Amino acid sequence: EAQVTQNPRYLITVTGKKLTVTCSQNMNHEYMSWYRQDPGLGLRQIYYSMNVEVTDKGDVPEGYKVSRKEKRNFPLILESPSPNQTSLYFCASSSGTGELFFGEGSRLTVL
Amino acid sequence: GQNIDQPTEMTATEGAIVQINCTYQTSGFNGLFWYQQHAGEAPTFLSYNVLDGLEEKGRFSSFLSRSKGYSYLLLKELQMKDSASYLCAVRDKSTGYALNFGKGTSLLVTP
């Protein structure tokens, strides 16, 4: 089954404790992206990647890092999480010109 | 950058027709997408327009006018399960084919 898988789905952590949200897709998509979704602000892009070893900043990259060492994986790293990073995070992938396929989302709370 | 506007909320009656409008401004338009998102779930793809005109897909249709920077999503024969948020998204060549989303329109279908 074609899918985008994110982990963890739910996480409560404390300020400053490094965490990684993993994302994996099995559709051989070149394009992958991370979004955060907050009430009243909609989906905002954090980082995206056009292909392996190619990443670029989206609209809200501050406080986040990503890597794309393999085509299927695109982890989101929060080196020192802060409460303003409490949000619902979505990973997505596409073939480039096609539709975006979303993961189920990761709800992160930073205390 | 882009500016994507859509109404925040709409209410319609079961069995009726509703039109959700979206206006956008972008420098490198490369397609407009509509997604549906139920509360707490991932967005799911509804439709895609890259040329002017109407695309029909069952109870859902989407229209695009590139010269006016305007699209709408038309939902016919509304059902209670259509209560969801509807997201307009524009792909922009100038930002690496990133998909930028409007803030979404929350549709409530009433009996």
Side-chain angles (χ1 to χ4, degrees), chain A residues 2 6-7 9 13 19 34 43 46 49 53 55-57 79 82-83 92-93 102 106:
Chain A
Q6 305 177 218
N7 280 295
R9 295 286 317 282
T13 190
L19 70 92
W34 276 102
L43 278 165
I46 303 170
S49 169
E53 301 293 359
T55 63
D56 215 337
K57 295 177 181 178
E79 292 273 3
S82 62
S93 73
F102 284 85
S106 297

Side-chain angles (χ1 to χ4, degrees), chain B residues 36-66:
Chain B
Q36 180 191 61
Q37 186 180 25
H38 286 98
E41 298 182 7
T44 55
F45 171 77
L46 286 178
S47 69
Y48 169 62
N49 297 70
V50 66
L51 300 175
D52 292 351
L54 189 68
E55 293 283 340
E56 297 188 79
K57 209 175 185 183
R59 294 190 300 115
F60 292 59
S61 304
S62 57
F63 171 83
L64 175 67
S65 168
R66 288 172 295 170

Side-chain angles (χ1 to χ4, degrees), chain A residues 9 13 16 20 39-40 44 47 53 59 62 67 72 89-90 109:
Chain A
R9 295 286 317 282
T13 190
T20 299
R44 294 180 294 168
Y47 269 94
E53 301 293 359
D59 297 320
E62 295 78 20
S67 69
R72 64 183 293 126
Y89 291 87
F90 287 103
T109 301

Side-chain angles (χ1 to χ4, degrees), chain A residues 31 35 37 40-41 43 45 48 50 59 90 96-100 102-103, chain B residues 33 35 37 41-43 45 48 87 91 95-101 103:
Chain A
Y31 182 92
Y35 291 85
Q37 188 172 39
L41 297 178
L43 278 165
Q45 190 173 52
Y48 64 93
M50 298 285 286
D59 297 320
F90 287 103
T97 56
E99 69 186 86
L100 265 183
F102 284 85
Chain B
F33 296 75
Y35 281 78
Q37 186 180 25
E41 298 182 7
F45 171 77
Y48 169 62
L87 313 178
R91 172 166 282 142
T95 55
Y97 294 94
L99 207 58
N100 293 290
F101 286 81
K103 294 181 181 178

